[in-house]
Amino acid sequence: MDCLSKYRDIIETTLLRYTELKYNTGDMACSATFDRQRDSYILIAQGWRQRQRTHYCLVHVEIHHDKIWIQEDGLEHGLATELQAAGIPQQDIVLGFQPPDVRHLTAYAVA
């Protein structure tokens, strides 16, 4: 399996686990949308909390030039650590939600 296919599989497997979790509050659930042609992977949280409708992007990941770009990360423990534990090296993960001038201060790729 080539590196790009491996990365796609790891991202999808990781995000799909979150669609199976139950929220403690309200009538909430996660759904995942994967676009392998454009290499865009999204995890949406949606539902009801009391009488308030909730719908937001929890995670957004893209693959550009063989790097995993985490554009949004609303997970408690951080998606980057989960991807790294699943076999993606730190130097192939970019924290896109961080400003470019501080990315070099992280243990991950700058671009």
Side-chain angles (χ1 to χ4, degrees):
M1 177 185 305
D2 67 59
C3 190
L4 188 56
S5 292
K6 176 184 171 188
Y7 286 2
R8 288 173 175 149
D9 290 344
I10 289 172
I11 292 167
E12 289 178 4
T13 300
T14 302
L15 295 183
L16 280 174
R17 282 197 309 264
Y18 286 93
T19 66
E20 299 168 1
L21 296 177
K22 303 285 185 206
Y23 275 77
N24 288 335
T25 59
D27 182 22
M28 295 288 297
C30 284
S31 61
T33 302
F34 306 142
D35 183 348
R36 279 189 173 222
Q37 184 176 7
R38 292 174 186 82
D39 279 321
S40 184
Y41 307 84
I42 297 175
L43 187 63
I44 299 290
Q46 57 191 349
W48 294 89
R49 287 191 178 150
Q50 298 171 5
R51 297 181 55 86
Q52 186 72 23
R53 173 73 175 151
T54 302
H55 184 274
Y56 58 93
C57 176
L58 188 60
V59 172
H60 181 204
V61 178
E62 296 176 315
I63 301 175
H64 295 290
H65 307 291
D66 298 326
K67 300 269 190 209
I68 310 300
W69 283 74
I70 301 174
Q71 304 292 10
E72 181 69 38
D73 185 359
L75 300 180
E76 186 174 331
H77 301 294
L79 181 63
T81 55
E82 289 191 49
L83 296 178
Q84 186 179 348
I88 299 176
Q90 283 181 320
Q91 66 267 20
D92 287 350
I93 300 172
V94 179
L95 303 179
F97 58 85
Q98 292 284 357
D101 61 327
V102 298
R103 287 186 198 144
H104 71 279
L105 300 173
T106 72
Y108 298 96
V110 295

